[in-house]
Structures are given as C-alpha cells and as structure tokens.
C-alpha cells in the first residue's frame, strides 16, 4: 500500500510537469532555458465597455418587447460621447486628444444615469407623481378641467346649430380650433407626462408637436388619441365629442353630464361675463363683437362661440328677431368699423383723416350699441314707441 501510494504521488507529479511543459510549448514561447514567455493581451477598456453596452442594449430590447411596462417608458437622452468630448476639449485644451476621448467614454454612462435620475425626481415632484395622494389629486384636477371644457363645447354646439349650413361650418371650425383643441391638448399632455414628454403649458402644443407626442404613446391609447387629433381638422363637432368620449374612457376620466339647472346656471354666468366685458370695452370693433354675442344669447337663450369675422353671420341671424331700426343700427355700425379698418390699413393724408373721422363717429355711436345689448327690453320698448 505504501509503495502504491508513493507511486501514485509520483505519477501525479510527473503528469503535472508534463502538462506544464506542453503549456509552454503551445504558448509559442518554445521550451528550455532560452524560451520566451508570451503574455496574452487582455481586452482594452474601450472594447469591454463596447461589449457591455451591446449586451445591455440587447437585454433591454428583448425585455422591452416582452414586457408592457418596460416598453411604455423611454430613457431621457443625455449628451453623446462626442458632445462630452467637445466640452472637455474646450475646458482642457492642453490635454492629449486620446486622453480626452477615453475620459469622455468613462464619463458618459455615469453622467447619463445621474441625469436621468435627477430628471425623473424633478418630474415626479412637479407632476404630483411622487405619492398616491398627489396622483389622485392631479387626476381629479384633470377631470374637472376636461368636464368644464366638454360641457361648454356641448352648450356652444347648441348655438351653432341655429345657423344655416355655411355659417354653421364656420362656427364649428372655430369651436374645434379653440375649446376642442384645448381639451385635446390637456388630455394628451397628461398621457405624455407618463412618458416624461409633457410640456409646461398645454396651450403651446402645436399640430406638429401633437402628432409627435401621439406617435410616442403606448398602443392602447395611441389610436383613440389619434382619432381625437384628426377630428380637430374636421367640420363637425359631434365627431370630436365621440372621439373624446373614447379617449376619456380609456384614461378613466369620467364625463359628468350637466343637468338642466346647472346648464342654465352656466348660460347665465356666460351672459354676465359678456355684460361685464362689454361694459369695460371702448374699442368699436370689440364692442360690436361683444354686443352681437350678447344679443344673440338674449334672443335665442343659447350661447355661441364666434370669432370677429363671423359677426356679419350673427347680425344676419338677428335680422329676423330684432326691430328693423335696431338691426339697421348694427349694420351701419358694422359698415363704419369695416371702413375704419380699411382706412388704417392704407395710410395716407386723405385716408388718415378719414380714419380719424370714422373713429370719432364710431366712438359717438358706442354708447347706443352698448345700450341695445345691455338693456334689450328698454331698447325694444323705445322702438315700439
């Protein structure tokens, strides 16, 4: 047994020596006393970093395609390596170019990570996403804003339906470009905030920005939001309202239909707001605009949302409901406003005098126009007398 053990130990030693000798020979350094050791070259930092980034990108892609939550969030881009190099070269002009490149590559990943963490924390703090209670409050604010605009759109839609087809189309387009666009931008900005792509003021969102934001949304909300966006370029408010209901349902925003009492209160509040604004206004064109809106609401008991260019349409509607003399005053005042505007657009000695004379004449007629709108019963009684 002792001999066998000794032989086993010796055999193992011989095997180890043999393997060591073979290793040196295969390494290309030769054998014996004159042999040269060959050191295997390790991977450079640049190569390791590139491989790590490729592995990370592949892992993100595979996990993103499989997981819905990962696909919904996009990393906020920071500076590229080249941009960091440019900054370093400006700050350290005496440093070697190779050193600058290596330093930029070393800084890129940690700086990007820090930037994204800070941006996320700032965004959550500003959007109310830091706590469940804050998110509920933000969602409640959204619901109140959307319901307010939705109710006003429906009330203004009743007013535009009293006009003929051409006039109705013009009023519908104006409503789509104003209040309907506002409610669309508010909803889109809220959804975009979950992707960290929201803007500070939704009113600043343009058509191009809206298209870009929608293209980056998750699939479950992208199609409904795109239909809502497309309806803004149409001619019918009812199409937008249908698209709006689909989007709010997907976003879990409840649309609460106002009862008759609340609708009457909203119409009354709108009338009071027009009265106050007309009472303060002195510019003739604005006075005419506010006056016809107020007179239309008084006679039809519904609201209308109309731009200045649609004032002639409303005056045409009022012809059937006003005494002839009052309607004639409105038409005369409108003609003077148009003449004054044209005179100011083409300055000259004669036109300037005409503009001054017209302005003076208009200001003398302003109180009468205001009185017709603010005191419709009194004006009607005087006409009958």
């Amino acid at each position: 047994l002792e001999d066998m053990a000794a032989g086993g130990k010796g055999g193992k030693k011989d095997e180890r020596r043999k393997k060591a000798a073979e290793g040196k020979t295969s390494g290309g350094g030769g054998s014996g006393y004159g042999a040269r050791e060959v050191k295997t070259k390790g991977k450079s930092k640049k190569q390791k970093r590139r491989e790590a980034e490729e592995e990370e990108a592949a892992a993100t892609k595979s996990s993103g395609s499989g997981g819905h939550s990962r696909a919904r969030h996009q990393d906020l881009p920071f500076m590229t390596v080249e941009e960091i190099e440019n900054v370093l070269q400006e700050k350290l002009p005496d440093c070697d170019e190779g050193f600058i490149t290596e330093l930029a590559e070393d800084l890129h990943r940690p700086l990007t990570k820090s930037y994204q963490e800070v941006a996320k924390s700032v965004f959550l703090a500003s959007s109310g996403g830091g706590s469940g209670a804050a998110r509920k409050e933000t969602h409640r604010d959204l619901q109140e804003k959307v319901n307010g605009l939705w109710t006003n759109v429906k009330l203004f839609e009743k007013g535009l339906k009293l006009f003929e087809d051409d006039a109705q189309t013009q009023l519908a387009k104006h409503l789509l470009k104003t209040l309907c666009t506002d409610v669309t931008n508010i909803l889109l900005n809220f959804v975009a905030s979950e992707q960290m792509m929201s803007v500070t003021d939704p009113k600043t969102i343009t058509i191009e920005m809206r298209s870009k934001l929608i293209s980056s949304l998750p699939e479950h909300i992208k199609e409904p939001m795109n239909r809502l966006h497309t309806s803004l370029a149409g001619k019918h408010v009812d199409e937008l309202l249908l698209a709006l209901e689909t989007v709010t349902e997907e976003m879990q925003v409840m649309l609460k239909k106002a009862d008759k009492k609340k609708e009457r209160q909203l119409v009354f509040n709108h009338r009071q707001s027009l009265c106050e604004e007309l009472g303060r206004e002195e510019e003739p064109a604005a006075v005419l605009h506010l006056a016809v809106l107020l007179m239309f609401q008084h006679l039809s008991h519904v609201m209308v949302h109309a731009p200045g260019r649609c004032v002639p349409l409303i005056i045409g509607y009022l012809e059937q409901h006003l005494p002839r003399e009052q309607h004639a005053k409105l038409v005369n005042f409108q003609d003077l406003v148009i003449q004054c505007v044209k005179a100011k657009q083409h300055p000259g000695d004669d036109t300037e005098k005409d503009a001054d004379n017209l302005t003076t004449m208009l200001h003398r007629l302003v109180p009468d126009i205001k009185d017709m709108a603010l005191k419709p019963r009194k004006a009607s009684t005087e006409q009958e007398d």
Side-chain angles (χ1 to χ4, degrees):
L1 290 173
E2 290 178 359
D3 293 340
M4 290 175 64
K9 290 180 180 178
K12 289 180 180 179
K13 289 181 180 179
D14 293 339
E15 288 178 6
R16 283 198 293 269
R17 290 195 190 97
K18 186 177 180 181
K19 287 181 179 180
E22 289 176 354
K24 289 180 180 179
T25 305
S26 62
S31 59
Y33 291 104
R36 178 171 56 88
E37 262 187 44
V38 176
K39 185 178 180 181
T40 304
K41 186 178 181 182
K43 295 181 179 179
S44 65
K45 286 185 178 180
K46 198 171 185 180
Q47 186 177 357
K48 289 180 180 179
R49 191 179 302 109
R50 189 183 300 111
E51 291 177 356
E53 289 176 354
E54 290 175 356
E55 291 176 2
E56 184 178 350
T60 303
K61 185 176 180 181
S62 61
S63 61
S65 59
H68 178 67
S69 61
R70 177 69 65 86
R72 293 184 60 173
H73 296 282
Q74 299 179 356
D75 289 336
L76 195 64
F78 184 58
M79 299 172 68
T80 62
V81 175
E82 289 75 13
E83 290 172 336
I84 296 176
E85 281 187 42
N86 294 334
V87 174
L88 291 175
Q89 286 173 355
E90 291 179 3
K91 301 295 182 181
L92 306 172
D94 298 330
C95 289
D96 180 67
E97 184 177 348
F99 171 75
I100 292 291
T101 301
E102 187 173 353
L103 181 59
E105 291 172 349
D106 288 338
L107 291 173
H108 180 255
R109 293 187 69 185
L111 285 178
T112 300
K113 185 177 180 181
S114 299
Y115 172 77
Q116 291 172 353
E117 289 175 353
V118 172
K120 185 176 181 180
S121 62
V122 171
F123 168 76
L124 292 176
S126 62
S127 64
S131 65
R135 289 185 65 84
K136 286 182 180 179
E137 185 177 353
T138 304
H139 193 271
R140 186 165 56 248
D141 292 342
L142 170 71
Q143 186 161 294
E144 290 179 0
K145 290 179 182 178
V146 171
N147 270 280
L149 287 168
W150 177 68
T151 303
N152 281 330
V153 169
K154 291 179 73 68
L155 291 175
F156 284 127
E157 187 190 22
K158 291 181 180 181
L160 65 87
K161 286 183 176 179
L162 297 179
F163 292 85
E164 299 296 331
D165 291 343
D166 292 341
Q168 191 175 135
T169 300
Q170 292 186 51
L171 293 171
K173 286 183 176 181
H174 179 66
L175 189 57
L176 289 167
K177 289 181 179 179
T178 52
L179 297 184
C180 296
T181 297
D182 289 344
V183 69
T184 301
N185 287 344
I186 289 173
L187 288 168
L188 175 59
N189 199 50
F190 186 84
V191 177
S193 67
E194 297 181 354
Q195 312 299 314
M196 298 184 70
M197 296 184 297
S198 61
V199 298
T200 305
D201 185 5
K203 291 185 178 181
T204 61
I205 297 177
T206 62
I207 297 175
E208 293 76 15
M209 291 172 63
R210 197 158 53 238
S211 299
K212 186 176 181 180
L213 288 172
I214 291 173
S215 65
S216 303
L217 295 179
E219 292 298 328
H220 73 283
I221 191 65
K222 181 189 293 185
E223 185 178 349
M225 190 63 75
N226 193 52
R227 284 200 300 269
L228 180 61
H229 165 64
T230 304
S231 66
L232 293 174
K235 302 178 181 179
H236 305 287
V237 179
D238 53 353
E239 292 180 0
L240 175 129
L241 293 173
L242 289 174
L244 179 63
E245 291 175 6
T246 304
V247 170
T248 52
E249 183 179 355
E250 186 67 37
M251 295 176 60
Q252 298 181 350
V253 175
M254 185 182 298
L255 296 176
K256 300 177 182 179
K257 186 178 180 180
D259 54 28
K260 295 295 182 182
K261 183 178 180 180
K262 186 175 181 180
E263 284 188 359
R264 285 195 297 269
Q265 185 64 43
L266 290 172
V267 172
F268 174 78
N269 292 342
H270 184 259
R271 184 180 184 279
Q272 290 301 110
S273 177
L274 288 175
C275 288
E276 293 174 3
E277 194 173 352
L278 178 59
R280 297 188 301 266
E281 188 59 63
E282 292 298 330
E283 202 278 320
V287 167
L288 179 64
H289 187 190
L290 293 169
V292 296
L293 292 178
L294 193 54
M295 295 171 77
F296 174 87
Q297 183 168 335
H298 172 71
L299 294 169
S300 65
H301 305 291
V302 293
M303 307 186 308
V304 64
H305 187 62
R309 66 176 181 274
C310 290
V311 166
L313 301 177
I314 304 175
I315 293 178
Y317 172 86
L318 294 175
E319 183 178 5
Q320 303 174 6
H321 305 277
L322 284 176
R324 186 175 301 175
E325 183 180 344
Q326 288 189 2
H327 184 262
K329 287 182 179 180
L330 287 177
V331 173
N332 179 58
F333 194 83
Q334 175 186 244
D335 292 341
L336 291 175
V337 169
I338 294 174
Q339 292 176 30
C340 186
V341 170
K342 289 182 177 179
K344 290 180 179 179
Q345 288 176 346
H346 304 285
D349 294 338
D350 295 335
T351 54
E352 285 181 6
K353 291 179 181 179
D354 291 340
D356 292 339
N357 293 334
L358 289 168
T359 301
T360 302
M361 190 182 303
L362 284 168
H363 279 293
R364 284 202 303 263
L365 296 174
V366 161
D368 193 21
I369 299 298
K370 283 188 176 184
D371 190 64
M372 287 171 55
L374 295 172
K375 303 174 183 179
R377 293 181 181 177
K378 180 180 178 182
S380 178
T381 303
E382 290 177 353
Q383 174 63 24
E384 291 174 2
D385 293 340

